Amino acid sequence: MKYVFNLNVALLFFAFVLITSCDDDDENEVTKLEATATVDLDAVSTSKFTLFNFENNAVVANTDSISTKWDIGFRGTTIILNGGTSGPGLASGQIVSGIFDELLEAPATEYASDSQSAKAITGSGGWYTYTGTTAVPNHAILPIAGKVLVLKTADGKYVKMEIISYYKGNPDTTTSTFADLNTRPASRYYTFNFIYQPDGTTNFETTR
Amino acid sequence: MRTTNIVWYILVRCYRLFLSGMKVMAIAAGILVCMSTRAHAQDSLTIKELAEIVVTATRSERALAELPVPVTIIQQKQIASMGALRLNEVLGEQTGLSIVSDHGSGIQMQGFSPEYTLILVDGEPLIGRTAGTLELNRIAVANIKQVEIMKGPSSSLYGSEALAGVINIITERPNGVNGTVTSRYGTNETSDFSATLNYQKNKLGAYAFADRYSTKGYDLSPDTEGSTVSPFTNYTFQSKVTYDFTNRLKFSLSGRYFTEEQKSITDIGTTEPVLLNGSGNVDDWNVNPVVSYTFSEKLKTTFRLYGSKYSTTSIQKYQGDGAIYDETYFDQTFTRPEIQTEYFLNAKNILTLGFGRIWESVEATRYDDRMKYQTNYVYAQYEWQPMSKLNLLLGGRYDDHSAYGSQFSPKLSAQYDVNSWLAIRGSFGVGFKAPDFRQLYLNFTNATVGYTVLGSRELAAGIARLQAEGQIEEVLVDPSTFGEIKAETSRAYNAGIKLQPFKRSFLTVNVFRNDVKDLIDTKPVARKVNQQYVYSYYNVAKVYTQGIEAEATHTLSNRINFSLGYQLLIAKDKQVIDQLKAGEVYARDPQTNVTRRVRESDYGGLFNRSRHMLNAKVFYEDAENGWIASARAIYRGRYGFADTNNNVILDDDSEYVEGYVVYNVSVGKTFLKVFKAQAGCDNLFNYTDRQYIPSLPGRLLWASVAVTLSGKGDSKK
């Protein structure tokens, strides 16, 4: 008797768990966040920033520069965020050391927005190294491995981003073709991976 | 612990390998000796080694065999047989040394950059370094009696810079009455003319040497403007006069003057060629009077005065309109009086005391003013033989520097003769390198790129000035946290054996470890409005270098000398190791773009250091018939060139330069004791690597003739 009773309790409990979890699925579907790859984003202009929106994975026209339609802007090696002195939005950011895939949670603090004295995202020594005259390849802008840009968008959503290349076609930078300035692909073309979290949380694994 | 085990394992393996090699060699030697029909006077190498005199280890003449510190001697005979003209050619073939290029060809010793090896001529330091490198090509070797190489720190005797070791060039002394004229011509229109004059009679000795060296240089990239090495011509004059007033009072005066002129063409255009005509001059002179007085058999005092000046000027003009693009000058002076007294208590106890003062100054385009500093120093050394088989050498030196503080450098060395064929030795020493002028006083802004470098003494004022001028956008680090710059110091441990398994065979093995701290590095202090940085110097890095060096020589029937040398080297940055252990170093695969964590085992250590270096040499001499010949193979194992996967450290295969071997051969013949003809080929198989080793020219053929005329004079040793 006792055994049957126990089994019944267990079955009841099991059914309850099943039902409640089914309810969860119906109301808040959890989807895994996948990285988006953006290839050869043109930042060639020396006067205008190329403005970009993470949610739509799309370039925003410069006529919308005084709006919150864009999150991040690129011009050469300079990166601006739509906030602070750069725009009307709430965007801010920081550079975190680590591996892109391993960064599962955005840090709670330490975000900076662009100011008169400095951009939130430091260029040389921040996300890239300029190799100068002595190194091979020379005069190259090479993104530093293990630097993840953690950003808040213009409307305060979290994004993590890793810059892969500054050259058109994301070339292998260890080859002699790249080392030779005559055969090196054009610069000011960004290739990067990012994960945009639309639900406003700091989680970079899943979204509701 | 693990490293130590590996070191011992390799040591034991090397020793076993050597013993088996020696057996084969011994049998071969036996056969050769039996077959040899001529009988030769057999002078023992032991006696020869005893007779070899070294001054570097103690600053006085000592027999090499009795010294507890390892010193390598390269004698004139060997230099002449190689056909070497400049010091870099000689040093580049020695075990454990490699020639590295950074603003000139300098010497890398026990894994240290050129700035940590002191280069002396007759015990007095050569000055004039560019970015820490003393250009070895400045030193002609035709008038050298021997080169002494002492590895491990010797700041206990020599003060600053003797952190990795000391190379002492001992020039010829007046000997007999004779004169020699030599002329040589080779590939790249390289020509060399030299003349020496010797006079020694009674109390007066005189020696004079003159050399003219010129080369067209070479170009490994003919498709670009300018040459890899531009044409240059230099002259060296050196003389020495000795006079013995009495048996007790002796005087010598030596002087040296070197001058070089180089012409170059550079292309600074980015799209269209913009050509610059450049010309550079180097002038270097020194003078060195020495008086020694022997009070008694037990007491001897030497007074040395040394003055040296090194200057360079360079100017670059646009080829088009002749306008000046860049003009620089650099003047450095060094003056040092020193008194040294040796007290021989008895044969087993020798005490040496010395003191002196150094005045140094530099004036250059990159400095605000004429910068000066002084060093007062005192040193003591005690050579002690407590037992017949045990030799000890204890020394210490105290340097008081006007700009950065004081430094005490002790050293203790010991040698124990286990039996007639085996000796063990070991040493512990502290070496240091004082911050140099640029690290203290540099005030330089790059005209084309716009960055600024400030010496630690200029930092606060320099930042304040740039701020007042509105050039600073953001101060990144509070300049006061940089603090007073300290000397770079190293603690070094050396242990080894000297083995003579057969009468004509020698083996030396030395294990070394250097722990270096306070290495001076640069880091950005502030960002300028032009987005460039202001850099300054600070003490940060801790590195170690360790390894094993082994050298074996064997002589066959007095004519053929074989030698084999090997060095294993591991040189790493301790902070990088800590970062690797903490998993904070990353790399990106260039094909897959995946960023990964770098493992500690991937770390290749400091750049530009070969883990393995090997040399094999054969020298042949037939004194009766006047033949000399040599064949040498020098292997430099693969080494890191530069970071390519953007994590600053050496960890990827693409960051290495392949190992390579250079083969050099020479042959010479003396006729009638007056004429000598010699020819040779350096880099026989024409190994070049224009991208990574531009300092290595291709195959070089050369031939020389020399005439020596002798008169009646006194031979003086």
Side-chain angles (χ1 to χ4, degrees), chain B residues 124-144:
Chain B
E124 304 292 343
L126 281 177
I127 59 165
R129 289 172 183 260
T130 309
T133 299
L134 196 133
E135 173 59 85
L136 299 170
N137 193 42
R138 266 164 57 195
I139 303 143
V141 294
N143 66 325
I144 286 175

mmCIF file with all atom_site columns, all heavy atoms in Angstrom, chain B residues 124-144:
data_model
loop_
_atom_site.group_PDB
_atom_site.id
_atom_site.type_symbol
_atom_site.label_atom_id
_atom_site.label_alt_id
_atom_site.label_comp_id
_atom_site.label_asym_id
_atom_site.label_entity_id
_atom_site.label_seq_id
_atom_site.pdbx_PDB_ins_code
_atom_site.Cartn_x
_atom_site.Cartn_y
_atom_site.Cartn_z
_atom_site.occupancy
_atom_site.B_iso_or_equiv
_atom_site.pdbx_formal_charge
_atom_site.auth_seq_id
_atom_site.auth_comp_id
_atom_site.auth_asym_id
_atom_site.auth_atom_id
_atom_site.pdbx_PDB_model_num
ATOM 1   N N   . GLU B 1 124 ? 89.495 49.079 -21.019 1.00 0.00 ? 124 GLU B N   1
ATOM 2   C CA  . GLU B 1 124 ? 88.772 50.347 -20.927 1.00 0.00 ? 124 GLU B CA  1
ATOM 3   C C   . GLU B 1 124 ? 87.537 50.288 -21.832 1.00 0.00 ? 124 GLU B C   1
ATOM 4   O O   . GLU B 1 124 ? 87.616 49.801 -22.958 1.00 0.00 ? 124 GLU B O   1
ATOM 5   C CB  . GLU B 1 124 ? 89.682 51.506 -21.353 1.00 0.00 ? 124 GLU B CB  1
ATOM 6   C CG  . GLU B 1 124 ? 90.985 51.614 -20.566 1.00 0.00 ? 124 GLU B CG  1
ATOM 7   C CD  . GLU B 1 124 ? 90.782 52.019 -19.105 1.00 0.00 ? 124 GLU B CD  1
ATOM 8   O OE1 . GLU B 1 124 ? 89.699 52.528 -18.770 1.00 0.00 ? 124 GLU B OE1 1
ATOM 9   O OE2 . GLU B 1 124 ? 91.707 51.804 -18.298 1.00 0.00 ? 124 GLU B OE2 1
ATOM 10  N N   . PRO B 1 125 ? 86.405 50.795 -21.352 1.00 0.00 ? 125 PRO B N   1
ATOM 11  C CA  . PRO B 1 125 ? 85.151 50.605 -22.090 1.00 0.00 ? 125 PRO B CA  1
ATOM 12  C C   . PRO B 1 125 ? 85.044 51.435 -23.367 1.00 0.00 ? 125 PRO B C   1
ATOM 13  O O   . PRO B 1 125 ? 85.432 52.595 -23.406 1.00 0.00 ? 125 PRO B O   1
ATOM 14  C CB  . PRO B 1 125 ? 84.090 51.055 -21.084 1.00 0.00 ? 125 PRO B CB  1
ATOM 15  C CG  . PRO B 1 125 ? 84.789 51.979 -20.164 1.00 0.00 ? 125 PRO B CG  1
ATOM 16  C CD  . PRO B 1 125 ? 86.203 51.499 -20.075 1.00 0.00 ? 125 PRO B CD  1
ATOM 17  N N   . LEU B 1 126 ? 84.501 50.811 -24.402 1.00 0.00 ? 126 LEU B N   1
ATOM 18  C CA  . LEU B 1 126 ? 84.151 51.557 -25.603 1.00 0.00 ? 126 LEU B CA  1
ATOM 19  C C   . LEU B 1 126 ? 82.791 52.211 -25.354 1.00 0.00 ? 126 LEU B C   1
ATOM 20  O O   . LEU B 1 126 ? 81.915 51.615 -24.745 1.00 0.00 ? 126 LEU B O   1
ATOM 21  C CB  . LEU B 1 126 ? 84.047 50.628 -26.807 1.00 0.00 ? 126 LEU B CB  1
ATOM 22  C CG  . LEU B 1 126 ? 85.350 50.200 -27.451 1.00 0.00 ? 126 LEU B CG  1
ATOM 23  C CD1 . LEU B 1 126 ? 85.069 49.226 -28.587 1.00 0.00 ? 126 LEU B CD1 1
ATOM 24  C CD2 . LEU B 1 126 ? 86.122 51.394 -27.992 1.00 0.00 ? 126 LEU B CD2 1
ATOM 25  N N   . ILE B 1 127 ? 82.622 53.430 -25.821 1.00 0.00 ? 127 ILE B N   1
ATOM 26  C CA  . ILE B 1 127 ? 81.337 54.102 -25.656 1.00 0.00 ? 127 ILE B CA  1
ATOM 27  C C   . ILE B 1 127 ? 80.707 54.326 -27.023 1.00 0.00 ? 127 ILE B C   1
ATOM 28  O O   . ILE B 1 127 ? 81.334 54.061 -28.057 1.00 0.00 ? 127 ILE B O   1
ATOM 29  C CB  . ILE B 1 127 ? 81.485 55.450 -24.907 1.00 0.00 ? 127 ILE B CB  1
ATOM 30  C CG1 . ILE B 1 127 ? 82.429 56.392 -25.668 1.00 0.00 ? 127 ILE B CG1 1
ATOM 31  C CG2 . ILE B 1 127 ? 81.962 55.225 -23.481 1.00 0.00 ? 127 ILE B CG2 1
ATOM 32  C CD1 . ILE B 1 127 ? 82.329 57.832 -25.193 1.00 0.00 ? 127 ILE B CD1 1
ATOM 33  N N   . GLY B 1 128 ? 79.478 54.830 -27.010 1.00 0.00 ? 128 GLY B N   1
ATOM 34  C CA  . GLY B 1 128 ? 78.811 55.120 -28.275 1.00 0.00 ? 128 GLY B CA  1
ATOM 35  C C   . GLY B 1 128 ? 77.886 54.006 -28.680 1.00 0.00 ? 128 GLY B C   1
ATOM 36  O O   . GLY B 1 128 ? 78.215 53.193 -29.541 1.00 0.00 ? 128 GLY B O   1
ATOM 37  N N   . ARG B 1 129 ? 76.742 53.947 -28.015 1.00 0.00 ? 129 ARG B N   1
ATOM 38  C CA  . ARG B 1 129 ? 75.764 52.920 -28.355 1.00 0.00 ? 129 ARG B CA  1
ATOM 39  C C   . ARG B 1 129 ? 74.538 53.578 -28.957 1.00 0.00 ? 129 ARG B C   1
ATOM 40  O O   . ARG B 1 129 ? 74.168 54.663 -28.564 1.00 0.00 ? 129 ARG B O   1
ATOM 41  C CB  . ARG B 1 129 ? 75.364 52.144 -27.093 1.00 0.00 ? 129 ARG B CB  1
ATOM 42  C CG  . ARG B 1 129 ? 76.471 51.236 -26.587 1.00 0.00 ? 129 ARG B CG  1
ATOM 43  C CD  . ARG B 1 129 ? 76.132 50.643 -25.243 1.00 0.00 ? 129 ARG B CD  1
ATOM 44  N NE  . ARG B 1 129 ? 77.218 49.830 -24.727 1.00 0.00 ? 129 ARG B NE  1
ATOM 45  C CZ  . ARG B 1 129 ? 77.264 48.500 -24.790 1.00 0.00 ? 129 ARG B CZ  1
ATOM 46  N NH1 . ARG B 1 129 ? 76.260 47.837 -25.326 1.00 0.00 ? 129 ARG B NH1 1
ATOM 47  N NH2 . ARG B 1 129 ? 78.292 47.829 -24.323 1.00 0.00 ? 129 ARG B NH2 1
ATOM 48  N N   . THR B 1 130 ? 73.929 52.907 -29.918 1.00 0.00 ? 130 THR B N   1
ATOM 49  C CA  . THR B 1 130 ? 72.688 53.392 -30.504 1.00 0.00 ? 130 THR B CA  1
ATOM 50  C C   . THR B 1 130 ? 71.599 52.412 -30.113 1.00 0.00 ? 130 THR B C   1
ATOM 51  O O   . THR B 1 130 ? 71.715 51.231 -30.427 1.00 0.00 ? 130 THR B O   1
ATOM 52  C CB  . THR B 1 130 ? 72.803 53.478 -32.035 1.00 0.00 ? 130 THR B CB  1
ATOM 53  O OG1 . THR B 1 130 ? 73.994 54.205 -32.328 1.00 0.00 ? 130 THR B OG1 1
ATOM 54  C CG2 . THR B 1 130 ? 71.617 54.203 -32.631 1.00 0.00 ? 130 THR B CG2 1
ATOM 55  N N   . ALA B 1 131 ? 70.587 52.898 -29.414 1.00 0.00 ? 131 ALA B N   1
ATOM 56  C CA  . ALA B 1 131 ? 69.522 52.045 -28.889 1.00 0.00 ? 131 ALA B CA  1
ATOM 57  C C   . ALA B 1 131 ? 70.111 50.853 -28.129 1.00 0.00 ? 131 ALA B C   1
ATOM 58  O O   . ALA B 1 131 ? 69.587 49.748 -28.182 1.00 0.00 ? 131 ALA B O   1
ATOM 59  C CB  . ALA B 1 131 ? 68.592 51.577 -30.004 1.00 0.00 ? 131 ALA B CB  1
ATOM 60  N N   . GLY B 1 132 ? 71.220 51.076 -27.461 1.00 0.00 ? 132 GLY B N   1
ATOM 61  C CA  . GLY B 1 132 ? 71.825 50.034 -26.636 1.00 0.00 ? 132 GLY B CA  1
ATOM 62  C C   . GLY B 1 132 ? 72.863 49.185 -27.341 1.00 0.00 ? 132 GLY B C   1
ATOM 63  O O   . GLY B 1 132 ? 73.606 48.442 -26.708 1.00 0.00 ? 132 GLY B O   1
ATOM 64  N N   . THR B 1 133 ? 72.916 49.273 -28.673 1.00 0.00 ? 133 THR B N   1
ATOM 65  C CA  . THR B 1 133 ? 73.852 48.425 -29.423 1.00 0.00 ? 133 THR B CA  1
ATOM 66  C C   . THR B 1 133 ? 75.160 49.152 -29.690 1.00 0.00 ? 133 THR B C   1
ATOM 67  O O   . THR B 1 133 ? 75.163 50.273 -30.188 1.00 0.00 ? 133 THR B O   1
ATOM 68  C CB  . THR B 1 133 ? 73.234 48.011 -30.768 1.00 0.00 ? 133 THR B CB  1
ATOM 69  O OG1 . THR B 1 133 ? 72.056 47.274 -30.499 1.00 0.00 ? 133 THR B OG1 1
ATOM 70  C CG2 . THR B 1 133 ? 74.189 47.165 -31.586 1.00 0.00 ? 133 THR B CG2 1
ATOM 71  N N   . LEU B 1 134 ? 76.251 48.488 -29.356 1.00 0.00 ? 134 LEU B N   1
ATOM 72  C CA  . LEU B 1 134 ? 77.551 49.012 -29.736 1.00 0.00 ? 134 LEU B CA  1
ATOM 73  C C   . LEU B 1 134 ? 77.944 48.310 -31.033 1.00 0.00 ? 134 LEU B C   1
ATOM 74  O O   . LEU B 1 134 ? 78.094 47.089 -31.068 1.00 0.00 ? 134 LEU B O   1
ATOM 75  C CB  . LEU B 1 134 ? 78.583 48.732 -28.637 1.00 0.00 ? 134 LEU B CB  1
ATOM 76  C CG  . LEU B 1 134 ? 79.844 49.560 -28.786 1.00 0.00 ? 134 LEU B CG  1
ATOM 77  C CD1 . LEU B 1 134 ? 80.218 50.181 -27.464 1.00 0.00 ? 134 LEU B CD1 1
ATOM 78  C CD2 . LEU B 1 134 ? 80.998 48.786 -29.346 1.00 0.00 ? 134 LEU B CD2 1
ATOM 79  N N   . GLU B 1 135 ? 78.047 49.083 -32.103 1.00 0.00 ? 135 GLU B N   1
ATOM 80  C CA  . GLU B 1 135 ? 78.326 48.537 -33.436 1.00 0.00 ? 135 GLU B CA  1
ATOM 81  C C   . GLU B 1 135 ? 79.699 47.864 -33.451 1.00 0.00 ? 135 GLU B C   1
ATOM 82  O O   . GLU B 1 135 ? 80.733 48.529 -33.354 1.00 0.00 ? 135 GLU B O   1
ATOM 83  C CB  . GLU B 1 135 ? 78.245 49.674 -34.451 1.00 0.00 ? 135 GLU B CB  1
ATOM 84  C CG  . GLU B 1 135 ? 78.668 49.344 -35.851 1.00 0.00 ? 135 GLU B CG  1
ATOM 85  C CD  . GLU B 1 135 ? 77.862 48.225 -36.494 1.00 0.00 ? 135 GLU B CD  1
ATOM 86  O OE1 . GLU B 1 135 ? 76.790 48.517 -37.050 1.00 0.00 ? 135 GLU B OE1 1
ATOM 87  O OE2 . GLU B 1 135 ? 78.342 47.076 -36.443 1.00 0.00 ? 135 GLU B OE2 1
ATOM 88  N N   . LEU B 1 136 ? 79.702 46.532 -33.570 1.00 0.00 ? 136 LEU B N   1
ATOM 89  C CA  . LEU B 1 136 ? 80.965 45.792 -33.497 1.00 0.00 ? 136 LEU B CA  1
ATOM 90  C C   . LEU B 1 136 ? 81.794 45.954 -34.759 1.00 0.00 ? 136 LEU B C   1
ATOM 91  O O   . LEU B 1 136 ? 82.998 45.702 -34.759 1.00 0.00 ? 136 LEU B O   1
ATOM 92  C CB  . LEU B 1 136 ? 80.678 44.312 -33.238 1.00 0.00 ? 136 LEU B CB  1
ATOM 93  C CG  . LEU B 1 136 ? 79.954 44.014 -31.921 1.00 0.00 ? 136 LEU B CG  1
ATOM 94  C CD1 . LEU B 1 136 ? 79.503 42.573 -31.885 1.00 0.00 ? 136 LEU B CD1 1
ATOM 95  C CD2 . LEU B 1 136 ? 80.847 44.315 -30.728 1.00 0.00 ? 136 LEU B CD2 1
ATOM 96  N N   . ASN B 1 137 ? 81.146 46.373 -35.822 1.00 0.00 ? 137 ASN B N   1
ATOM 97  C CA  . ASN B 1 137 ? 81.845 46.611 -37.069 1.00 0.00 ? 137 ASN B CA  1
ATOM 98  C C   . ASN B 1 137 ? 82.844 47.765 -36.950 1.00 0.00 ? 137 ASN B C   1
ATOM 99  O O   . ASN B 1 137 ? 83.697 47.958 -37.797 1.00 0.00 ? 137 ASN B O   1
ATOM 100 C CB  . ASN B 1 137 ? 80.794 46.888 -38.157 1.00 0.00 ? 137 ASN B CB  1
ATOM 101 C CG  . ASN B 1 137 ? 81.379 46.845 -39.533 1.00 0.00 ? 137 ASN B CG  1
ATOM 102 O OD1 . ASN B 1 137 ? 82.183 45.968 -39.828 1.00 0.00 ? 137 ASN B OD1 1
ATOM 103 N ND2 . ASN B 1 137 ? 81.008 47.797 -40.364 1.00 0.00 ? 137 ASN B ND2 1
ATOM 104 N N   . ARG B 1 138 ? 82.716 48.550 -35.878 1.00 0.00 ? 138 ARG B N   1
ATOM 105 C CA  . ARG B 1 138 ? 83.648 49.655 -35.637 1.00 0.00 ? 138 ARG B CA  1
ATOM 106 C C   . ARG B 1 138 ? 85.041 49.159 -35.246 1.00 0.00 ? 138 ARG B C   1
ATOM 107 O O   . ARG B 1 138 ? 86.002 49.924 -35.251 1.00 0.00 ? 138 ARG B O   1
ATOM 108 C CB  . ARG B 1 138 ? 83.124 50.511 -34.474 1.00 0.00 ? 138 ARG B CB  1
ATOM 109 C CG  . ARG B 1 138 ? 82.293 51.688 -34.888 1.00 0.00 ? 138 ARG B CG  1
ATOM 110 C CD  . ARG B 1 138 ? 81.495 52.264 -33.723 1.00 0.00 ? 138 ARG B CD  1
ATOM 111 N NE  . ARG B 1 138 ? 82.274 52.677 -32.587 1.00 0.00 ? 138 ARG B NE  1
ATOM 112 C CZ  . ARG B 1 138 ? 81.749 52.941 -31.371 1.00 0.00 ? 138 ARG B CZ  1
ATOM 113 N NH1 . ARG B 1 138 ? 80.452 52.843 -31.182 1.00 0.00 ? 138 ARG B NH1 1
ATOM 114 N NH2 . ARG B 1 138 ? 82.506 53.315 -30.371 1.00 0.00 ? 138 ARG B NH2 1
ATOM 115 N N   . ILE B 1 139 ? 85.137 47.908 -34.852 1.00 0.00 ? 139 ILE B N   1
ATOM 116 C CA  . ILE B 1 139 ? 86.397 47.442 -34.272 1.00 0.00 ? 139 ILE B CA  1
ATOM 117 C C   . ILE B 1 139 ? 87.150 46.529 -35.239 1.00 0.00 ? 139 ILE B C   1
ATOM 118 O O   . ILE B 1 139 ? 86.710 45.419 -35.557 1.00 0.00 ? 139 ILE B O   1
ATOM 119 C CB  . ILE B 1 139 ? 86.124 46.726 -32.939 1.00 0.00 ? 139 ILE B CB  1
ATOM 120 C CG1 . ILE B 1 139 ? 85.383 47.697 -32.015 1.00 0.00 ? 139 ILE B CG1 1
ATOM 121 C CG2 . ILE B 1 139 ? 87.432 46.262 -32.293 1.00 0.00 ? 139 ILE B CG2 1
ATOM 122 C CD1 . ILE B 1 139 ? 84.353 47.053 -31.162 1.00 0.00 ? 139 ILE B CD1 1
ATOM 123 N N   . ALA B 1 140 ? 88.281 47.020 -35.710 1.00 0.00 ? 140 ALA B N   1
ATOM 124 C CA  . ALA B 1 140 ? 89.151 46.232 -36.587 1.00 0.00 ? 140 ALA B CA  1
ATOM 125 C C   . ALA B 1 140 ? 89.905 45.217 -35.725 1.00 0.00 ? 140 ALA B C   1
ATOM 126 O O   . ALA B 1 140 ? 90.221 45.491 -34.570 1.00 0.00 ? 140 ALA B O   1
ATOM 127 C CB  . ALA B 1 140 ? 90.137 47.157 -37.297 1.00 0.00 ? 140 ALA B CB  1
ATOM 128 N N   . VAL B 1 141 ? 90.168 44.034 -36.285 1.00 0.00 ? 141 VAL B N   1
ATOM 129 C CA  . VAL B 1 141 ? 90.787 43.010 -35.456 1.00 0.00 ? 141 VAL B CA  1
ATOM 130 C C   . VAL B 1 141 ? 92.216 42.645 -35.866 1.00 0.00 ? 141 VAL B C   1
ATOM 131 O O   . VAL B 1 141 ? 92.838 41.800 -35.231 1.00 0.00 ? 141 VAL B O   1
ATOM 132 C CB  . VAL B 1 141 ? 89.927 41.721 -35.403 1.00 0.00 ? 141 VAL B CB  1
ATOM 133 C CG1 . VAL B 1 141 ? 88.616 41.988 -34.700 1.00 0.00 ? 141 VAL B CG1 1
ATOM 134 C CG2 . VAL B 1 141 ? 89.691 41.144 -36.780 1.00 0.00 ? 141 VAL B CG2 1
ATOM 135 N N   . ALA B 1 142 ? 92.734 43.300 -36.881 1.00 0.00 ? 142 ALA B N   1
ATOM 136 C CA  . ALA B 1 142 ? 94.060 42.909 -37.365 1.00 0.00 ? 142 ALA B CA  1
ATOM 137 C C   . ALA B 1 142 ? 95.156 43.138 -36.324 1.00 0.00 ? 142 ALA B C   1
ATOM 138 O O   . ALA B 1 142 ? 96.197 42.483 -36.354 1.00 0.00 ? 142 ALA B O   1
ATOM 139 C CB  . ALA B 1 142 ? 94.385 43.674 -38.651 1.00 0.00 ? 142 ALA B CB  1
ATOM 140 N N   . ASN B 1 143 ? 94.948 44.081 -35.425 1.00 0.00 ? 143 ASN B N   1
ATOM 141 C CA  . ASN B 1 143 ? 95.994 44.384 -34.443 1.00 0.00 ? 143 ASN B CA  1
ATOM 142 C C   . ASN B 1 143 ? 95.661 43.836 -33.060 1.00 0.00 ? 143 ASN B C   1
ATOM 143 O O   . ASN B 1 143 ? 96.145 44.327 -32.065 1.00 0.00 ? 143 ASN B O   1
ATOM 144 C CB  . ASN B 1 143 ? 96.179 45.896 -34.349 1.00 0.00 ? 143 ASN B CB  1
ATOM 145 C CG  . ASN B 1 143 ? 94.937 46.570 -33.785 1.00 0.00 ? 143 ASN B CG  1
ATOM 146 O OD1 . ASN B 1 143 ? 93.828 46.134 -34.055 1.00 0.00 ? 143 ASN B OD1 1
ATOM 147 N ND2 . ASN B 1 143 ? 95.132 47.600 -33.003 1.00 0.00 ? 143 ASN B ND2 1
ATOM 148 N N   . ILE B 1 144 ? 94.805 42.845 -33.036 1.00 0.00 ? 144 ILE B N   1
ATOM 149 C CA  . ILE B 1 144 ? 94.390 42.299 -31.742 1.00 0.00 ? 144 ILE B CA  1
ATOM 150 C C   . ILE B 1 144 ? 95.276 41.117 -31.363 1.00 0.00 ? 144 ILE B C   1
ATOM 151 O O   . ILE B 1 144 ? 95.541 40.236 -32.184 1.00 0.00 ? 144 ILE B O   1
ATOM 152 C CB  . ILE B 1 144 ? 92.902 41.887 -31.811 1.00 0.00 ? 144 ILE B CB  1
ATOM 153 C CG1 . ILE B 1 144 ? 92.027 43.143 -31.792 1.00 0.00 ? 144 ILE B CG1 1
ATOM 154 C CG2 . ILE B 1 144 ? 92.535 40.966 -30.672 1.00 0.00 ? 144 ILE B CG2 1
ATOM 155 C CD1 . ILE B 1 144 ? 90.569 42.860 -31.986 1.00 0.00 ? 144 ILE B CD1 1
#
